[in-house]
Amino acid sequence: MARLQSTRYRKQIVFLLLTVALLGVLPRAAADSPLDLCRTLVDFLSSRGNLSPATTVDTVAAITRVRGVEEQVLKWGRDQGIAGLEGVIPANRRDAVLTSVYETMAKKTMSTVVLPDSAPDVGVKVTPGEPHVVMFAPEGKVNDRIESIAKIGYERWGHHMVPQFYRFRDGRLLIRVFVGGEGYNPASPLFRFRASSSAGLRYFLDFLSEDGGRHWLHFASFNQPESMENFSAGYEERPRSEIAFRLADGEEIRYQRRFMDFDLGDPQVKPYSGNYYRLGDLPRDKQEIPMLTRKPGEEKWTEGKAFWDPDTLLLSQVVGIKEGERTRLVRRMAGLVPSGLMQLKDGSLVIAPDASDSVRPVSDLRPDGTMDSSTENYILRSFDQGRTWKYTGGVPRFTYQTFFDSVRGHLEPRFSGGAWIALYRTTGIYWSGGGPVIMRRSTDEGKTWSEPMPIRPCSGGTLNGLMLENGIAVRAYGRPGAFLMFSADGKGERWGNDVTVDRPTKGMEGENTDNNGNFVATGPDRFMYAYSRYDRPDPWGQPRLAVIAQEFVVSRK
């Protein structure tokens, strides 16, 4: 763990140095440019006694030796053939040499990065609507980020509320806000629970709008289940029962997650490799994913079954189930459920779940028993309206130019002619983001991918987005700040006409939004975006954590 943290810290410092160098390489925007706020990365570390407040390359270069990354940076320079790095570099030349390497590094690794305020015109007209407050969290001091987290964050409301956005078939809108400690991870296949006094149990709040997002009513609250056996509790209660994916023909589909428990001595359950079990070897009834469908005009849901690719490896763990005064040990495996569905023009469905040790394709298993970990996101497709799913490829994991590791890919497969793109969060000042947004493209539906290319600064938030019926794609990026970028070329090659949803106020130290927002289409040429803001004034002028929803109309010029 110490080695991992040391490596991560070195990469954070290198990103800081590259950012400072980049400020002198790219064309400068206005003084309050979003990237200009990346200068405050230095202040962020300085406030914790790690760096001096100076923001010059020279000063940062001098500190590099103390932080253990100097030799790593010099090696990179030598590998690039930069002159003057041969042999032992005298102490009186080291700062100048490092400065030269940083400038070269910024030109080589960041030359394709576009600042939000300098984004090109790609022929998209964007008309923002008024932002509307969905909800306020309890009062708390928010002008100091760390103190605000302690008061209104982890114990009661959570720092990342990750609003989820849905549109029902009658046009009503639902925003679901996650509340509680960060130990809760709704995307995790094993659905980790955290019941410590510091985090509390996580639950979510539902807010409903019947007037297109102008006003919001707190409609319902759902506590997380006390046990995984009750995970599906509340699925049939509105509005939760209305959350579904709508196919192009109007049919709605939704799935229910369930976990697979087996007695430890069950003779039907035999390991495939180590603690991994192949899904196709398990009893057929255990492989079923409860599925509900509803055709246009119908009120009742029809029960059905869906099936994940049988060539899937499931990692098992032994857990105890309380049964009266005794505890029964069982072998538990993750409950599979398709999520994040996207429908292509040919009618097929695509999902791209994060790579996980808990659920992975059999093809990851090497002959020597080790696992291939070169995939960031798995790609599964369904050609029968979501009833069966097969692995068809993956979004590859990578390290870009030595210093930027991919940590999560976001797939957009709905362009024309088999053109797909993947946008990545990369390591930086945060463990899970903060480096540049990096794009890779595929022209063969995800079978092969182009080389990584940085396109925007600051990838600390989720790079969510959607494809509108008018063929314009939108993606969010930021942290610090929240920004939107657009593509109208049908291929995802050119992105621009960026919109600032929320400009950072104090940079990383005073982070005012995490950009972990979500979208919903409200028409062929419009969408709404929901996101968190940490310092929205309430009606009494008190800054509070809030969830905001805003509509945008998008068309070609």
Side-chain angles (χ1 to χ4, degrees):
M1 180 62 73
R3 182 179 180 183
L4 176 62
Q5 291 175 340
S6 175
T7 301
R8 181 180 300 164
Y9 188 74
R10 286 198 298 270
K11 289 182 177 180
Q12 291 174 356
I13 295 295
V14 169
F15 176 65
L16 166 64
L17 303 174
L18 281 178
T19 300
V20 176
L22 178 61
L23 292 171
V25 172
L26 292 181
R28 293 299 303 273
D32 62 346
S33 161
L35 185 63
D36 208 38
L37 287 155
C38 287
R39 278 184 186 268
T40 60
L41 297 178
V42 179
D43 297 331
F44 179 81
L45 293 176
S46 172
S47 66
R48 284 149 183 77
N50 297 321
L51 294 177
S52 72
T55 59
T56 66
V57 172
D58 293 339
T59 302
V60 175
I63 298 168
T64 308
R65 294 190 295 277
V66 181
R67 296 303 167 200
V69 295
E70 180 186 29
E71 291 306 319
Q72 187 179 2
V73 172
L74 291 175
K75 181 181 183 303
W76 183 91
R78 294 185 182 104
D79 292 343
Q80 300 299 313
I82 299 175
L85 304 184
E86 301 81 7
V88 178
I89 300 174
N92 62 354
R93 289 187 55 238
R94 293 183 81 87
D95 288 353
V97 168
L98 284 170
T99 297
S100 174
V101 175
Y102 294 143
E103 290 174 349
T104 301
M105 191 181 296
K107 290 177 183 178
K108 187 174 182 63
T109 65
M110 298 287 206
S111 61
T112 53
V113 170
V114 175
L115 311 187
D117 291 346
S118 304
D121 184 349
V122 295
V124 176
K125 178 183 177 181
V126 184
T127 305
E130 288 294 321
H132 297 283
V133 174
V134 177
M135 54 81 70
F136 282 110
E139 288 188 13
K141 183 180 178 183
V142 296
N143 63 329
D144 179 272
R145 176 173 175 263
I146 303 302
E147 187 172 349
S148 72
I149 292 176
K151 287 190 174 181
I152 68 172
Y154 293 115
E155 291 189 3
R156 295 180 62 188
W157 289 85
H159 185 45
H160 305 301
M161 304 186 77
V162 195
Q164 307 294 301
F165 219 149
Y166 307 96
R167 185 171 184 263
F168 299 143
R169 62 180 181 178
D170 62 7
R172 287 183 290 184
L173 301 171
L174 178 75
I175 289 180
R176 167 158 291 174
V177 177
F178 292 108
V179 179
E182 285 199 77
Y184 171 94
N185 178 5
S188 170
L190 289 180
F191 196 71
R192 295 179 298 139
F193 290 86
R194 186 175 178 184
S196 67
S197 58
S198 63
L201 294 177
R202 186 144 187 172
Y203 58 99
F204 33 95
L205 309 175
D206 286 340
F207 295 87
L208 191 68
S209 175
E210 297 181 332
D211 60 2
R214 291 183 293 276
H215 301 89
W216 295 87
L217 170 70
H218 176 209
F219 190 83
S221 302
F222 290 96
N223 290 326
Q224 72 175 28
E226 295 181 359
S227 68
M228 292 186 181
E229 289 74 23
N230 298 324
F231 181 85
S232 296
Y235 261 88
E236 301 310 315
E237 183 177 337
R238 287 189 175 93
R240 191 174 186 181
S241 63
E242 296 298 305
I243 296 175
F245 180 79
R246 193 172 300 108
L247 299 170
D249 62 5
E251 182 180 15
E252 295 176 298
I253 61 175
R254 62 191 180 97
Y255 304 93
Q256 294 182 352
R257 187 193 300 271
R258 70 172 184 175
F259 291 83
M260 293 178 281
D261 290 344
F262 301 91
D263 290 333
L264 296 184
D266 191 333
Q268 299 183 83
V269 182
K270 297 180 180 180
Y272 188 85
S273 176
N275 285 329
Y276 281 99
Y277 293 74
R278 180 179 174 274
L279 178 62
D281 295 338
L282 301 177
R284 182 69 173 175
D285 63 315
K286 293 289 189 179
Q287 300 178 40
E288 298 171 356
I289 302 172
M291 179 181 183
L292 298 170
T293 61
R294 184 171 66 179
K295 296 187 179 300
E298 295 180 347
E299 288 299 321
K300 293 185 177 180
W301 293 91
T302 300
E303 295 184 359
K305 302 170 185 176
F307 293 90
W308 200 273
D309 193 327
D311 281 328
T312 298
L313 296 179
L314 302 174
L315 184 64
S316 74
Q317 60 177 347
V318 177
V319 300
I321 298 178
K322 193 75 172 176
E323 294 179 343
E325 297 298 321
R326 61 185 292 268
T327 299
R328 180 169 64 94
L329 296 180
V330 300
R331 187 178 305 283
R332 171 163 293 159
M333 301 174 205
L336 300 169
V337 60
S339 62
L341 279 68
M342 296 171 281
Q343 188 168 24
L344 307 190
K345 291 182 180 180
D346 65 3
S348 66
L349 299 175
V350 175
I351 59 174
D354 293 345
S356 167
D357 290 337
S358 304
V359 180
R360 57 198 318 164
V362 170
S363 58
D364 274 1
L365 183 64
R366 299 189 181 103
D368 62 1
T370 60
M371 289 291 182
D372 184 334
S373 298
S374 62
T375 301
E376 196 70 65
N377 296 78
Y378 300 118
I379 298 174
L380 294 94
R381 294 185 72 172
S382 172
F383 293 90
D384 57 5
Q385 295 190 303
R387 287 163 176 80
T388 58
W389 294 88
K390 293 286 186 181
Y391 289 105
T392 61
V395 177
R397 183 170 290 161
F398 64 89
T399 296
Y400 178 72
Q401 293 291 347
T402 305
F403 301 112
F404 302 110
D405 290 336
S406 62
V407 290
R408 179 170 294 170
H410 296 263
L411 180 69
E412 177 51 81
R414 291 166 288 194
F415 291 106
S416 302
W420 294 13
I421 68 161
L423 297 175
Y424 292 83
R425 296 173 68 171
T426 59
T427 51
I429 192 66
Y430 292 103
W431 75 269
S432 60
V437 178
I438 288 182
M439 180 173 72
R440 300 183 76 165
R441 302 186 66 252
S442 173
T443 57
D444 54 11
E445 297 188 333
K447 295 180 178 63
T448 60
W449 293 89
S450 65
E451 291 299 312
M453 181 176 73
I455 61 170
R456 293 294 187 276
C458 305
S459 66
T462 52
L463 306 173
N464 290 330
L466 48 73
M467 177 73 73
L468 293 171
E469 289 182 28
N470 62 7
I472 297 177
V474 56
R475 283 283 157 172
Y477 68 95
R479 193 176 176 199
F483 310 95
L484 305 177
M485 61 180 182
F486 301 85
S487 178
D489 61 9
K491 300 178 181 179
E493 292 179 346
R494 298 183 66 237
W495 292 83
N497 296 110
D498 296 27
V499 170
T500 298
V501 178
D502 215 330
R503 188 178 295 276
T505 54
K506 293 174 60 181
M508 306 298 278
E509 173 66 11
E511 180 181 279
N512 60 321
T513 177
D514 59 16
N515 194 46
N516 286 318
N518 272 286
F519 295 79
V520 69
T522 52
D525 63 347
R526 61 197 62 206
F527 64 87
M528 292 196 76
Y529 180 58
Y531 63 99
S532 301
R533 185 182 173 99
Y534 303 140
D535 56 358
R536 174 84 178 196
D538 67 13
W540 294 271
Q542 170 69 41
R544 295 199 195 191
L545 170 62
V547 172
I548 312 295
Q550 186 174 5
E551 188 172 50
F552 297 82
V553 179
V554 183
S555 61
R556 287 178 171 81
K557 292 183 177 179

